[in-house]
Amino acid sequence: MNQTRIEQYVSGRLVGREAEEFETYCVANPEFAKQVEYEQRLRAGIAEVAQGSTAEFVRASAEPRWKLAAAASVILAIGAVSWTWVHQSNKLGRAVMAAVSTDTQRNGPTLRLAQVRGAESVPTLAPRVMRVEIVGLFDSAALYNITLDRIEDQRSRTLTTLYGQHPNSPVTLEFMLDAEDLPAGSYTVRVHKQASDEESLDFGVVKP
């Protein structure tokens, strides 16, 4: 990986498999991820100055707020997806999560969440059934709980939790999500290692 690759990613010229490989590399190499964040922040600052928002740019530089955001690649594929769901209802709508169990599910619509420092865009939940692939560093021998929270008035409310999920590789964890009946708004996907005091991996997503 080099500066040219960073510029291609930040400018949106890396797509599909190339973008996925780049994000996976960032997760495994924090120092390289910092370089990506610097490039993204630099471009964002230049854009603000060009729009005449110099004061805001100066404040942001004086008080840096480092954030870890989710960079997502949405991969659309054609295929039927079917499995047995455990439905959990609440007054905000139906939130359904399940383990990935078939190749058909893996070949269907996919939302990929990767913790890449400095990412500005927020992944979008489509009103459909999809496979969610989370990129991170996982203990292959451990189990993880995946929780979906809804954010309202700056407060978080848990909608549903999928317990006891095995990573499918040391850098990926996947699950199925039916977001069709979720109300429009902001959500957080949280991944926590069972029987551990490690901090959860948090990914912000939005349903239009």
Side-chain angles (χ1 to χ4, degrees):
M1 296 293 179
N2 52 35
Q3 183 62 30
T4 299
R5 209 65 168 167
I6 292 175
E7 292 175 355
Q8 290 174 336
Y9 178 80
V10 172
S11 64
R13 286 180 286 149
L14 285 187
V15 297
R17 178 59 60 185
E18 287 185 326
E20 292 179 11
E21 291 175 352
F22 184 91
E23 292 165 357
T24 301
Y25 185 84
C26 285
V27 171
N29 297 272
E31 290 303 316
F32 181 80
K34 290 180 182 179
Q35 297 179 41
V36 178
E37 179 183 28
Y38 175 79
E39 182 70 21
Q40 289 171 319
R41 291 173 63 87
L42 178 63
R43 289 188 178 226
I46 292 173
E48 287 206 27
V49 171
Q51 294 171 4
S53 183
T54 307
E56 181 62 29
F57 174 66
V58 172
R59 286 198 297 275
S61 299
E63 300 177 11
R65 292 172 294 181
W66 301 93
K67 62 181 180 179
L68 198 59
S73 301
V74 180
I75 308 162
L76 298 180
I78 297 175
V81 181
S82 60
W83 65 95
T84 301
W85 287 102
V86 177
H87 293 275
Q88 302 186 39
S89 299
N90 55 74
K91 64 183 181 182
L92 290 177
R94 187 183 65 179
V96 185
M97 298 194 295
V100 178
S101 59
T102 69
D103 289 338
T104 301
Q105 294 169 5
R106 290 189 176 90
N107 294 330
T110 299
L111 176 67
R112 193 171 192 264
L113 305 178
Q115 287 200 323
V116 178
R117 293 178 63 89
E120 296 296 330
S121 61
V122 179
T124 299
L125 292 177
R128 62 162 69 95
V129 174
M130 70 187 79
R131 181 176 71 95
V132 179
E133 181 183 60
I134 297 174
V135 178
L137 296 178
F138 298 105
D139 181 352
S140 299
L143 294 174
Y144 290 81
N145 299 335
I146 305 169
T147 299
L148 180 66
D149 295 337
R150 178 174 168 82
I151 310 301
E152 288 185 296
D153 299 324
Q154 299 183 338
R155 300 182 66 178
S156 176
R157 173 177 178 175
T158 297
L159 299 184
T160 184
T161 298
L162 181 63
Y163 295 94
Q165 298 303 295
H166 275 292
N168 53 309
S169 82
V171 294
T172 56
L173 177 67
E174 61 184 9
F175 67 98
M176 300 302 298
L177 173 65
D178 182 355
E180 182 176 358
D181 291 339
L182 288 178
S186 298
Y187 296 85
T188 300
V189 175
R190 293 187 290 113
V191 182
H192 184 259
K193 183 179 179 181
Q194 287 188 356
S196 170
D197 58 1
E198 294 180 7
E199 291 187 3
S200 63
L201 297 178
D202 296 350
F203 301 88
V205 295
V206 171
K207 184 176 179 188

